[in-house]
Amino acid sequence: MNPGSFEQRNISPKEAIQLQKELAGQLVIKGKPESVKVIAGIDLAYDKTSNLGFCSILTFSFPELKLLDIYSLYDTVLFPYIPGLLSFREGPLILKTLNLLPKLPDVLIFDGQGIAHPRRLGIAAHIGVLLQIPSIGCAKSHLCGNYSEPGMNKGDMSVMKDKGEELGYVIRTRKNVKPIFCSPGHLFGIKEAADFLLNCLGSYRIPEPTRLADIEVDKFKLSVLKTNRE
């Protein structure tokens, strides 16, 4: 499977911002996929001392959320850490890891932002539009937009807005715990993305696909670094 390409040349921050604006204009933020049988959770980790990045992609049956497969890869990260341009740092490694999969899942869920981004192109939106695949951003922290704190019960939500534009939902996934920040990446409406994410919850604050991807990528990172030291 060839999941697409990414900007590989020595792109400047100014050029990256312009490309974000162009790609954001291609996003489709409405509806939802008709049939979903396999979804994927995606997360990354880094080693600052070696410039290595690590990516784990876990696939699950849906709606059962049964773990199907784990795919992990590491590589040197070339793009520097620049807030607002993280997809240029993370994207190439994510696409390389997706290339390990025999077939793209029906939905990609990212530990990161969708359109809740200053230029409406967080990592979920960037990869989603490149691959033309339904995608959702599920972030642990707030990046862009204003919101009111949702109610304290599981499933309570409030809208995130920026200059009057709806970007996503702040969702309480467990009673009396911090909310998560959900925004569509591509081929999902704003409310449809939030409702879909609610169907991915287990017993924890973070939805199962990205929660388990986070655990797996940390294990993978430690294993690689240990092997490289030996």
Side-chain angles (χ1 to χ4, degrees):
M1 179 197 72
N2 180 6
S5 61
F6 206 86
E7 189 65 43
Q8 295 289 346
R9 64 191 175 87
N10 188 23
I11 189 170
S12 69
K14 183 178 180 180
E15 291 171 319
I17 289 171
Q18 182 57 38
L19 182 58
Q20 283 182 327
K21 293 176 180 178
E22 293 172 5
L23 289 175
Q26 301 174 26
L27 293 173
V28 176
I29 308 301
K30 62 180 180 180
K32 60 182 179 180
E34 292 183 3
S35 176
V36 179
K37 295 182 179 179
V38 178
I39 66 176
I42 302 174
D43 201 7
L44 288 88
Y46 297 94
D47 177 48
K48 295 179 181 179
T49 62
S50 63
N51 261 356
L52 289 178
F54 306 81
C55 178
S56 288
I57 299 176
L58 278 59
T59 57
F60 301 82
S61 64
F62 186 84
E64 303 85 3
L65 298 181
K66 178 184 177 182
L67 179 62
L68 300 176
D69 282 301
I70 298 173
Y71 304 88
S72 296
L73 193 68
Y74 72 96
D75 201 356
T76 301
V77 176
L78 301 177
F79 199 84
Y81 173 81
I82 302 175
L85 296 177
L86 293 184
S87 60
F88 292 90
R89 180 174 173 83
E90 299 176 344
L93 180 53
I94 290 173
L95 290 185
K96 287 180 182 179
T97 310
L98 281 170
N99 202 37
L100 300 176
L101 280 64
K103 182 181 178 182
L104 279 175
D106 300 309
V107 173
L108 301 180
I109 302 177
F110 292 80
D111 182 1
Q113 308 291 346
I115 62 169
H117 178 278
R119 288 171 294 280
R120 311 300 184 253
L121 202 81
I123 185 63
H126 200 150
I127 299 297
V129 74
L130 281 183
L131 302 186
Q132 288 300 306
I133 184 172
S135 58
I136 298 173
C138 173
K140 303 183 189 76
S141 58
H142 171 250
L143 175 64
C144 180
N146 301 310
Y147 67 94
S148 299
E149 193 73 13
M152 296 306 295
N153 293 314
K154 180 178 180 178
D156 287 344
M157 296 187 286
S158 62
V159 179
M160 282 188 290
K161 291 185 178 182
D162 184 32
K163 300 175 183 176
E165 179 185 356
E166 290 192 5
L167 300 181
Y169 278 87
V170 183
I171 305 174
R172 191 81 62 188
T173 55
R174 289 192 68 195
K175 188 174 182 178
N176 296 326
V177 301
K178 293 180 180 179
I180 61 169
F181 299 84
C182 170
S183 58
H186 186 49
L187 298 174
F188 264 103
I190 293 171
K191 183 61 163 56
E192 288 88 345
D195 289 341
F196 190 91
L197 210 57
L198 285 174
N199 289 320
C200 297
L201 295 178
S203 302
Y204 298 86
R205 174 191 174 219
I206 307 301
E208 288 298 281
T210 49
R211 185 183 76 86
L212 294 177
D214 175 70
I215 293 171
E216 183 61 35
V217 77
D218 282 342
K219 286 167 52 180
F220 176 62
K221 171 186 170 180
L222 291 174
S223 174
V224 170
L225 294 179
K226 180 181 178 181
T227 300
N228 288 351
R229 286 194 295 265
E230 291 176 350

